[in-house]
Amino acid sequence: MRLITISKILCMWISVFLSFASVSDEIIWEENKNVFIKLLEVETSNYEHPNTISSDVSNAFLSQISIINSNENEDALLFTSQQISLLSKYLPSALTQAKQNQVVVFSLIKKKSSLAGFLKRDLFTAGSIFIQQNTLTLKVGDVDRERQHGYESVYDPTNQGLVRYDFDFGLDSTSVASKKNTLGLLTHLDGFSTPQQNEVNIVLSKLSELPQIIQQQATSKVETKNTGLTRQEVEQILNEREASSSTHKGEIATKQQTGKSLQQTATESNKTTTKNLEERFKILQNLKDQGLISEQEYQVKRAELLAEI
Amino acid sequence: MNNKKLFKTCIATAILASISSTAMAEDETTWNISGWINEGITYYDDGQGSDVAQLGDNGTTLGSRIALTGGYKPENTGLQFGFEVIVEPTAAVDGNSSSPLLSNQDGVSNANAFGSGVSLLSNNIYMSGDFGKITIGTQSMPTDNIAVLADPSVTIWSGISPLFRMLGFSIRGVDATAGNQTWGNFAQCAGLNGLGIGIDCNGIYRNGIRYDLPEFGGVNIAIGYANDEVYDVALKYAGEVAGLTTMFNAGYAYNADGGQNVLGSSSETLQFQLGLMDAESGMFGTFAYQMEDVEDAAVGSGDDTSAYHVKVGVKRAYNSYGDSAFYVDYGSYNDQYGMAHLEGVTGSKLSVLGFAAEQNFGARFLMYAKYEIIGLDVDGTSNAQALYSGAQDLNLLQVGATFFF
């Protein structure tokens, strides 16, 4: 009897309790309760939302952000290419839907495995994006925050995805200070800055020009990564190939002057040029596979090589 | 008419989408090794003596474990199949103890795990899909740890209370002729037929079958049947209420053979726990409650018991290593005295007051220290008072670490 009475009270309590449960966040995209892009209501209401930016511009902005690893003294990209694709796909619609008192917050995951795939690590990166004072700002809170498999296996032994993490979206400067996330930029442009250790922003007027500016920079920029063949060395090889191609073009003119048939010399030079292009394509692919160049740089250079055909 | 058309279109789109998504899937096989190892140093003062011992884990179901799990998603089915095997490194015991969980002071002081093996904790397979998940085998049943884990602070490894560590310890000062000689004798669970673990009274892995319904609105409901005729149902909620991280667990279990410690024919257990945490300040609190009833028990026995546990503290990043936590907890285990009514006992209260500190190093390493004072109060006849009123408090200090992988 006592159990029945207590059970009834408990059921009533649960129903009242659930009615107060917060459903205030607007989901833009969600894989599960810990991997999402959504709109978060905040106390301030001076954000310049709704607003419009394109996917290309989002992609260009996000691909230029690095995170400084103090242990290795080396920059790494903050987002993986998959994360950049996802964010740049949904960020425009999120900013279009956001209200003045809402910011776009995200929590994205990347997976690492070791021991032939038996040992897995899931790492979360969480932050916020908003437009304020004519500036697009990204802030990060949690970077590579590890998922707690141990606790999840106990709380959720049948792996129903019950555990929900409380992420830091970088909006509270006091909590971020202890994490020492330091953001950097791969490219130094006017209007592009890192005013705080966990923040990157760009003036809106410069934002629309970003994709073109970055494309131009990618063709001329030289940056070294200490993993095998350096970019300088590769650039040198590519330049030598280009110079060799130019020399062949010069030879064509000379052979014309010596009386060899234009057809013959053109065919020979075409074969040489084609062979050079193939090698250059292969070198470019190899650079991308080794992680020496970014996806954007690969695309830019590939477009140039295709234009030569 | 337009609404009907729209409704049909939506249904058609949804069906097409689901077919498309499953059609695009490929076979996927996953494997994973995970778990944790817990070690520590324990100091005790039982009122008559004291000692220090290096102990591995105490062998509870939250003890050191190595889990091997695997999953398989065949193409175009929308189903997933998998398995789980968990082994526990056997905690250090002496030659006379039957179980690390029941070791007395001598057993603990002479503990040496060299030559010990591992024990099986879990061994099961499952099938899951849009309908939910069905698991069969030795496993954690729905009400296992139901009043322990609704804790947003995740400070559970330092304080496995409401289970407390030294169940087999002798209560010093109790008359040698008394029937209840150990602390566990005053924290008996009807659902586990006298195993004394206080508030987690369905807290062991069992052979059974479990069905988890699909989660809705942050709520998960699971039902189970385990050998022999143990039925349970549990509800878990995790979300945000009034700006606070909120977790709520509730569970009910019926054991057709429960209550044998008080000569009963069956037992019912009702448990719940509420946990709240303010993410900004790091303040948190939990409250757990349990009650058990036994059918046809010996009159006057400990057949109608209750227990509660409360914890308050703070957890946040005070340094660059990771989160630090400080908390105080108090547990009260009432009338769980079993058959001590035969000695004139009419009521009992085992209390545990604890103070703890934790330091996380990233997500993989935890160090903790916990000091606990365990005391006993017994109501009853003059005979009961003569037997039990001299019970000495047990003081425990445990400093340990847990490595997660």
Side-chain angles (χ1 to χ4, degrees), chain A residues 56-69:
Chain A
D56 289 342
V57 160
S58 303
N59 192 304
F61 171 67
L62 296 167
S63 63
Q64 295 304 301
I65 302 167
S66 63
I67 184 92
I68 297 170
N69 186 326

PDB file of all heavy atoms in Angstrom, chain A residues 56-69:
ATOM      1  N   ASP A  56      30.044  29.762 -49.225  1.00  0.00           N
ATOM      2  CA  ASP A  56      31.444  29.917 -49.664  1.00  0.00           C
ATOM      3  C   ASP A  56      32.214  30.803 -48.701  1.00  0.00           C
ATOM      4  O   ASP A  56      33.366  30.520 -48.347  1.00  0.00           O
ATOM      5  CB  ASP A  56      31.499  30.552 -51.057  1.00  0.00           C
ATOM      6  CG  ASP A  56      31.018  29.587 -52.118  1.00  0.00           C
ATOM      7  OD1 ASP A  56      30.984  28.362 -51.815  1.00  0.00           O
ATOM      8  OD2 ASP A  56      30.664  30.026 -53.224  1.00  0.00           O
ATOM      9  N   VAL A  57      31.571  31.857 -48.284  1.00  0.00           N
ATOM     10  CA  VAL A  57      32.224  32.794 -47.360  1.00  0.00           C
ATOM     11  C   VAL A  57      32.439  32.107 -46.010  1.00  0.00           C
ATOM     12  O   VAL A  57      33.498  32.243 -45.384  1.00  0.00           O
ATOM     13  CB  VAL A  57      31.353  34.063 -47.230  1.00  0.00           C
ATOM     14  CG1 VAL A  57      31.675  34.828 -45.973  1.00  0.00           C
ATOM     15  CG2 VAL A  57      31.524  34.938 -48.453  1.00  0.00           C
ATOM     16  N   SER A  58      31.442  31.347 -45.571  1.00  0.00           N
ATOM     17  CA  SER A  58      31.578  30.609 -44.300  1.00  0.00           C
ATOM     18  C   SER A  58      32.750  29.642 -44.386  1.00  0.00           C
ATOM     19  O   SER A  58      33.574  29.552 -43.473  1.00  0.00           O
ATOM     20  CB  SER A  58      30.315  29.810 -43.998  1.00  0.00           C
ATOM     21  OG  SER A  58      29.193  30.639 -43.959  1.00  0.00           O
ATOM     22  N   ASN A  59      32.819  28.921 -45.488  1.00  0.00           N
ATOM     23  CA  ASN A  59      33.884  27.951 -45.696  1.00  0.00           C
ATOM     24  C   ASN A  59      35.243  28.624 -45.650  1.00  0.00           C
ATOM     25  O   ASN A  59      36.176  28.147 -44.985  1.00  0.00           O
ATOM     26  CB  ASN A  59      33.674  27.248 -47.047  1.00  0.00           C
ATOM     27  CG  ASN A  59      34.557  26.023 -47.205  1.00  0.00           C
ATOM     28  OD1 ASN A  59      35.778  26.113 -47.097  1.00  0.00           O
ATOM     29  ND2 ASN A  59      33.958  24.884 -47.454  1.00  0.00           N
ATOM     30  N   ALA A  60      35.359  29.749 -46.343  1.00  0.00           N
ATOM     31  CA  ALA A  60      36.633  30.468 -46.373  1.00  0.00           C
ATOM     32  C   ALA A  60      37.019  30.936 -44.969  1.00  0.00           C
ATOM     33  O   ALA A  60      38.175  30.829 -44.555  1.00  0.00           O
ATOM     34  CB  ALA A  60      36.523  31.661 -47.317  1.00  0.00           C
ATOM     35  N   PHE A  61      36.060  31.442 -44.227  1.00  0.00           N
ATOM     36  CA  PHE A  61      36.324  31.951 -42.879  1.00  0.00           C
ATOM     37  C   PHE A  61      36.782  30.829 -41.959  1.00  0.00           C
ATOM     38  O   PHE A  61      37.798  30.921 -41.257  1.00  0.00           O
ATOM     39  CB  PHE A  61      35.040  32.613 -42.363  1.00  0.00           C
ATOM     40  CG  PHE A  61      35.064  32.998 -40.925  1.00  0.00           C
ATOM     41  CD1 PHE A  61      35.910  34.006 -40.472  1.00  0.00           C
ATOM     42  CD2 PHE A  61      34.242  32.380 -40.007  1.00  0.00           C
ATOM     43  CE1 PHE A  61      35.927  34.376 -39.128  1.00  0.00           C
ATOM     44  CE2 PHE A  61      34.247  32.745 -38.671  1.00  0.00           C
ATOM     45  CZ  PHE A  61      35.084  33.745 -38.220  1.00  0.00           C
ATOM     46  N   LEU A  62      36.048  29.731 -41.956  1.00  0.00           N
ATOM     47  CA  LEU A  62      36.329  28.645 -41.011  1.00  0.00           C
ATOM     48  C   LEU A  62      37.636  27.927 -41.330  1.00  0.00           C
ATOM     49  O   LEU A  62      38.303  27.411 -40.424  1.00  0.00           O
ATOM     50  CB  LEU A  62      35.168  27.645 -41.024  1.00  0.00           C
ATOM     51  CG  LEU A  62      33.818  28.191 -40.551  1.00  0.00           C
ATOM     52  CD1 LEU A  62      32.697  27.230 -40.911  1.00  0.00           C
ATOM     53  CD2 LEU A  62      33.847  28.442 -39.048  1.00  0.00           C
ATOM     54  N   SER A  63      38.014  27.899 -42.609  1.00  0.00           N
ATOM     55  CA  SER A  63      39.215  27.153 -42.993  1.00  0.00           C
ATOM     56  C   SER A  63      40.499  27.900 -42.665  1.00  0.00           C
ATOM     57  O   SER A  63      41.583  27.351 -42.795  1.00  0.00           O
ATOM     58  CB  SER A  63      39.176  26.837 -44.489  1.00  0.00           C
ATOM     59  OG  SER A  63      39.193  28.035 -45.221  1.00  0.00           O
ATOM     60  N   GLN A  64      40.355  29.150 -42.217  1.00  0.00           N
ATOM     61  CA  GLN A  64      41.551  29.939 -41.911  1.00  0.00           C
ATOM     62  C   GLN A  64      41.889  29.968 -40.429  1.00  0.00           C
ATOM     63  O   GLN A  64      42.833  30.639 -40.022  1.00  0.00           O
ATOM     64  CB  GLN A  64      41.356  31.386 -42.398  1.00  0.00           C
ATOM     65  CG  GLN A  64      41.232  31.494 -43.911  1.00  0.00           C
ATOM     66  CD  GLN A  64      42.427  30.880 -44.597  1.00  0.00           C
ATOM     67  OE1 GLN A  64      43.560  31.279 -44.383  1.00  0.00           O
ATOM     68  NE2 GLN A  64      42.169  29.870 -45.427  1.00  0.00           N
ATOM     69  N   ILE A  65      41.129  29.242 -39.629  1.00  0.00           N
ATOM     70  CA  ILE A  65      41.297  29.335 -38.184  1.00  0.00           C
ATOM     71  C   ILE A  65      42.139  28.173 -37.676  1.00  0.00           C
ATOM     72  O   ILE A  65      41.851  27.009 -37.974  1.00  0.00           O
ATOM     73  CB  ILE A  65      39.928  29.346 -37.483  1.00  0.00           C
ATOM     74  CG1 ILE A  65      39.106  30.532 -38.008  1.00  0.00           C
ATOM     75  CG2 ILE A  65      40.093  29.444 -35.974  1.00  0.00           C
ATOM     76  CD1 ILE A  65      37.664  30.480 -37.634  1.00  0.00           C
ATOM     77  N   SER A  66      43.155  28.504 -36.927  1.00  0.00           N
ATOM     78  CA  SER A  66      44.014  27.470 -36.364  1.00  0.00           C
ATOM     79  C   SER A  66      43.929  27.513 -34.845  1.00  0.00           C
ATOM     80  O   SER A  66      43.441  28.481 -34.257  1.00  0.00           O
ATOM     81  CB  SER A  66      45.455  27.665 -36.823  1.00  0.00           C
ATOM     82  OG  SER A  66      45.940  28.911 -36.334  1.00  0.00           O
ATOM     83  N   ILE A  67      44.392  26.470 -34.234  1.00  0.00           N
ATOM     84  CA  ILE A  67      44.468  26.393 -32.767  1.00  0.00           C
ATOM     85  C   ILE A  67      45.922  26.144 -32.417  1.00  0.00           C
ATOM     86  O   ILE A  67      46.578  25.301 -33.031  1.00  0.00           O
ATOM     87  CB  ILE A  67      43.553  25.293 -32.208  1.00  0.00           C
ATOM     88  CG1 ILE A  67      43.572  25.287 -30.682  1.00  0.00           C
ATOM     89  CG2 ILE A  67      43.885  23.916 -32.733  1.00  0.00           C
ATOM     90  CD1 ILE A  67      42.504  26.117 -30.065  1.00  0.00           C
ATOM     91  N   ILE A  68      46.426  26.940 -31.492  1.00  0.00           N
ATOM     92  CA  ILE A  68      47.838  26.833 -31.148  1.00  0.00           C
ATOM     93  C   ILE A  68      47.984  25.808 -30.041  1.00  0.00           C
ATOM     94  O   ILE A  68      47.427  25.944 -28.956  1.00  0.00           O
ATOM     95  CB  ILE A  68      48.395  28.192 -30.702  1.00  0.00           C
ATOM     96  CG1 ILE A  68      48.305  29.176 -31.878  1.00  0.00           C
ATOM     97  CG2 ILE A  68      49.836  28.063 -30.227  1.00  0.00           C
ATOM     98  CD1 ILE A  68      48.596  30.605 -31.517  1.00  0.00           C
ATOM     99  N   ASN A  69      48.755  24.776 -30.344  1.00  0.00           N
ATOM    100  CA  ASN A  69      48.995  23.709 -29.376  1.00  0.00           C
ATOM    101  C   ASN A  69      50.255  24.051 -28.608  1.00  0.00           C
ATOM    102  O   ASN A  69      51.348  23.976 -29.146  1.00  0.00           O
ATOM    103  CB  ASN A  69      49.149  22.373 -30.107  1.00  0.00           C
ATOM    104  CG  ASN A  69      49.248  21.205 -29.144  1.00  0.00           C
ATOM    105  OD1 ASN A  69      49.803  21.326 -28.074  1.00  0.00           O
ATOM    106  ND2 ASN A  69      48.705  20.087 -29.551  1.00  0.00           N
TER     107      ASN A  69
END
